[in-house]
Amino acid sequence: MVLAECGTHGLVDGAFDGVARASEHAFARQLVASLQPDMLLLADRSFNGYELWATPARRALT
């Protein structure tokens, strides 16, 4: 999974693991650390829930 810029498609960060152990939510939790306060994140509807977004939301407010 990668975190990419929409306009240029430049890669910001990426996360990967073995196919048998791959989990999109685990990768998303790893990539959250690369988000900056001035970034707008667009995510697929399967990435819902308070647990996944509480950390970046707290960081954006500080």
Side-chain angles (χ1 to χ4, degrees):
M1 177 180 286
V2 297
L3 182 61
E5 199 275 330
C6 287
T8 64
H9 303 286
L11 300 180
V12 176
D13 198 0
F16 62 94
D17 200 350
V19 175
R21 297 176 293 173
S23 163
E24 288 185 334
H25 283 261
F27 295 151
R29 283 190 291 275
Q30 291 177 28
L31 294 176
V32 160
S34 298
L35 294 173
Q36 299 297 315
D38 62 344
M39 291 180 170
L40 172 64
L41 179 67
L42 304 175
D44 191 304
R45 67 180 176 181
S46 67
F47 295 99
N48 59 359
Y50 177 80
E51 290 181 16
L52 184 58
W53 301 117
T55 301
R58 270 194 305 271
R59 284 190 11 210
L61 295 174
T62 58

